[in-house]
Each structure stands twice: as C-alpha cells, then as structure tokens.
Amino acid sequence: MTVGVLGSGTVGQDVLNLIERRKPIFEDVGVKIEIAGVMVRDVNKKRNVPAGTRVTTDCDFLQECGVVIETIGGVDRPLDILRPYLRSDRPVITANKAMLAERWDELREYALDGKLYYEASVMAGTPVIGPMSTVLRASTFNKLQAVLNGTCNYILTQMEGGQDYAAALAGAQALGYAEDPPTLDVGGFDTAHKLAVLARFCADGNFPYSAVQVTGIENVTLADVQDASRNGEKIKLVAELERAGTGWKATVAPQRLPADHPLCTAGATRNALVYEGDECGTLIFAGGGAGGMITASAMVGDLLDYLLGFPGHVPLH
Ligand code: NAP
Ligand code: HSE
C-alpha cells in the first residue's frame, strides 16, 4: 500500500514514526506499507522522521498513492492540494477539524461514501467519533457537554496555579498543543470546529459550523480562575449541544463547574465528553486530546481500519 503524507510537523512526524514502529501490525494483515512521499513547505528543516523518507515541496506523488494522510492544517490550503486526488475517489485520513467543519459542503459526499477517516479530529487519540458513528446511533441522542481543547485546558489549569495567561499559552505552544494561529484555540473556534464535527454524527448530518455560538477564554482573568478555585469550582471552556425546540443549540463558552464534575476530574491536559442518550444512558469519555503521538495513534488506527476494509466515518444521512 503506497501512502502519501501531507505535512511533517508535530502530528505528521509522529504519524511517520508510528507507521515505522508498527510495521508488524500491517504485516499481520498482509500489507507492506510504502511511504511515497511527504509534502512540506521547507525541505531544509530538520525533522525527526524515519531514515530515507522522501521529503518534498511537490505534491505529484499523490497520484501514485492508495491512501493519503493529511496533517498540514488550515482550511483551503490542504483542500486545494487534495482536490485532484479526491476526484479519483481514494481515501483521506485527516485530523483537520477546521477543514471538516468549514468545508463540509465539499467533503460531505466523500464522508457519506466512507472515504474520509477522521477519528483524530476530535479528542485526538481518545475515540469518540468511532462510537458516535456506529453503536451509539441505536440510542436517541439528547445532549453532550465536552472539554475539547487541550490548549485552553492547559492554560486554565496553569492559571489555577497562579501562572499568567501569556506564559501559560506559551507553555501550551511549546508542548505542541496549539493551533497556528493560537487564536483558533483561545478564541473557542477550534472547540467549535470539533463540536460541529460531532453534531453531524448525533444531531444533524449537515450541521453547519456557523450555527455554533462561540465565546473564547481570552477574557478569563487570573482573578476569575482563583475565585472559582476558592469556591470549589473550575473554569473550563465547555462545548454543549442540546435539543432546542425542533432543532439543536450548539454553544462554546467558558463555564464555572464544580471541581468534581466529570469535565473537571478528567485532568489538566485531558479532554472529556459526557454523552446523554435515552437508551444508552450517560456515557463519559476522557483522555488525551492534543499532542503529536496521541493524534498519530488515531490516524494510524484509521489507516489500519481502512486496510482491514472498514469504511471511514459516515455522518448521519
Ligand atoms: P504543524 O506542526 O504546524 O505542522 C504542519 C505541517 O504542514 C508542517 O510540516 C508544514 O511544513 C506543513 N505545511 C504547512 N503548510 C504547508 C503547505 N502550504 N504546503 C506544504 N506543507 C505545508 O501542525 P500540527 O500541530 O502537526 O497539526 C497538523 C494538523 O493536525 C492540523 O489540522 C491540526 O489541527 C491537527 N491536530 C493537531 C493536534 C496537535 O496536538 N498538534 C492534535 C489533533 C489534530 P514545514 O514543516 O515545512 O513548515
Ligand atoms: N489545538 C488543539 C488543542 C489540538 O489544543 O486541543 C488538538 O486538536
């Protein structure tokens, strides 16, 4: 199987290294993986990738690929590169929630055809899209509440310890959690992208990103965080999706929650999601939601699913 990789940054490098490390699992299913090429902006940058990897600024190699893994990020930038490849009806694995949220008109048909794999786009290596696109559909969905952004979670947790906002943001960037630009994180837009992606599995297969009401954490002060702590609460950037009349209400905003709430107890750098359905009851998902290797784990998992013949993540029809 010839695999093409777009991007070799925090996530792309770990995807390449994990494919190399887990070669035996591919051999177990009878597949020899060959990396056709890795597209980047700057070929002279030092990279931690397996020896002999072909790194290039040219995307011609895509035409020889059986599957492409996209880790460039951005909305139109990756789609412009992918468009000719997508026309040939071959699969794409991506962690790019911005592209999924904002270019759904163009991508939805591929997703309905089972050609798009995107477990890593929400909560990175903590599987939520898998269950929401399969077994949870038997249950009547009512509501979800989630912490979906590692950068904001890290910043707010550091502020609980007294660190100021700017220093905490720099820390999240150094850990490889933040988007480029980080306004996507702190402005709440990354969380809104992820909420739109999730809504298409449980509420409306065409849920528009523009329907999410967004407030970020930029105006949360050290005094706000510490006042919450004194009262046994924590401030979290919370994504919510619930029924409103005959439709759905989707919001992203900072909220004060009791410190023993499942969205708080998940941990400082972890994401969490509380899912409520009539028949399945209340489910809690928690785990790492940002970082190179944890994201790579879901993307390489998607690659394995594809090789085993499982379709990609199909939204509600
Ligand atoms: P990153 O570290 O900034 O890496 C981006 C890579 O894309 C770099 O290798 C860069 O090339 C390449 N690139 C950017 N623009 C390009 C262009 N026009 N042509 C060719 N190559 C280009 O980003 P990342 O953190 O790995 O994130 C990648 C994607 O994963 C994003 O969609 C992000 O939202 C998503 N994601 C990230 C995380 C995380 O924790 N980081 C978690 C889940 C999902 P150069 O190296 O030459 O600059
Ligand atoms: N910037 C994102 C975050 C990366 O901080 O959660 C994972 O999607």
Side-chain angles (χ1 to χ4, degrees):
M1 175 60 63
T2 311
V3 179
V5 180
L6 299 178
S8 173
T10 305
V11 175
Q13 291 180 81
D14 280 338
V15 164
L16 290 161
N17 289 320
L18 187 57
I19 289 175
E20 181 69 18
R21 189 192 304 169
R22 302 289 281 150
K23 271 191 172 155
I25 59 167
F26 295 109
E27 282 160 19
D28 280 352
V29 296
V31 177
K32 183 172 180 293
I33 297 284
E34 188 185 314
I35 304 296
V38 180
M39 188 188 182
V40 296
R41 272 178 301 208
D42 176 3
V43 284
N44 296 316
K45 226 183 228 181
K46 194 168 159 16
R47 293 174 200 280
N48 171 20
V49 294
T53 303
R54 177 181 161 207
V55 178
T56 168
T57 54
D58 197 330
C59 63
D60 281 356
F61 67 83
L62 290 185
Q63 295 314 325
E64 43 181 283
C65 296
V67 53
V68 167
I69 303 180
E70 185 273 316
T71 72
I72 282 184
V75 175
D76 289 314
R77 191 172 49 190
L79 204 48
D80 289 345
I81 298 168
L82 282 170
R83 206 168 274 119
Y85 166 87
L86 277 170
R87 278 193 206 110
S88 67
D89 234 18
R90 284 169 286 168
V92 170
I93 298 169
T94 183
N96 188 340
K97 56 275 171 171
M99 177 179 75
L100 292 163
E102 297 196 34
R103 292 294 175 268
W104 195 232
D105 283 354
E106 191 168 350
L107 292 171
R108 183 166 175 262
E109 284 304 313
Y110 296 105
L112 286 171
D113 275 355
K115 296 280 184 335
L116 271 186
Y117 295 74
Y118 46 104
E119 180 62 63
S121 65
V122 181
M123 292 179 73
T126 305
V128 286
I129 288 182
M132 283 175 66
S133 61
T134 54
V135 288
L136 290 178
R137 286 206 178 148
S139 192
T140 312
F141 170 73
N142 284 322
K143 180 177 175 177
L144 72 77
Q145 204 183 18
V147 166
L148 300 174
N149 185 270
T151 302
C152 291
N153 216 15
Y154 179 86
I155 292 172
L156 293 168
T157 306
Q158 294 302 106
M159 287 169 78
E160 284 165 18
Q163 194 171 47
D164 73 38
Y165 174 88
L169 171 57
Q173 287 178 296
L175 287 165
Y177 295 166
E179 298 297 310
D180 178 16
T183 330
L184 287 170
D185 299 287
V186 295
F189 307 109
D190 176 74
T191 302
H193 286 147
K194 292 166 175 166
L195 187 58
V197 170
L198 293 180
R200 292 166 187 159
F201 293 108
C202 55
D204 172 357
N206 245 334
F207 194 90
Y209 166 63
S210 57
V212 186
Q213 297 166 29
V214 192
T215 309
I217 63 161
E218 303 103 319
N219 297 323
V220 176
T221 64
L222 209 47
D224 294 333
V225 173
Q226 291 178 343
D227 182 61
S229 286
R230 276 191 298 277
N231 288 286
E233 294 176 329
K234 288 179 185 289
I235 298 181
K236 296 282 177 190
L237 183 65
V238 179
E240 274 184 348
L241 176 67
E242 60 188 332
R243 288 183 188 281
T246 53
W248 298 94
K249 185 175 175 218
T251 53
V252 171
Q255 283 189 28
R256 275 171 78 138
L257 298 172
D260 60 359
H261 189 284
L263 296 187
C264 298
T265 53
T269 58
R270 284 150 58 97
N271 285 188
L273 186 148
V274 180
Y275 182 102
E276 291 176 26
D278 279 350
E279 296 80 3
C280 66
T282 299
L283 306 176
I284 301 173
F285 299 83
M293 195 48 91
I294 191 158
T295 306
S297 73
M299 300 188 89
V300 176
D302 278 351
L303 175 60
L304 191 58
D305 270 1
Y306 167 63
L307 295 173
L308 289 169
F310 292 108
H313 301 106
V314 180
L316 293 174
H317 281 71

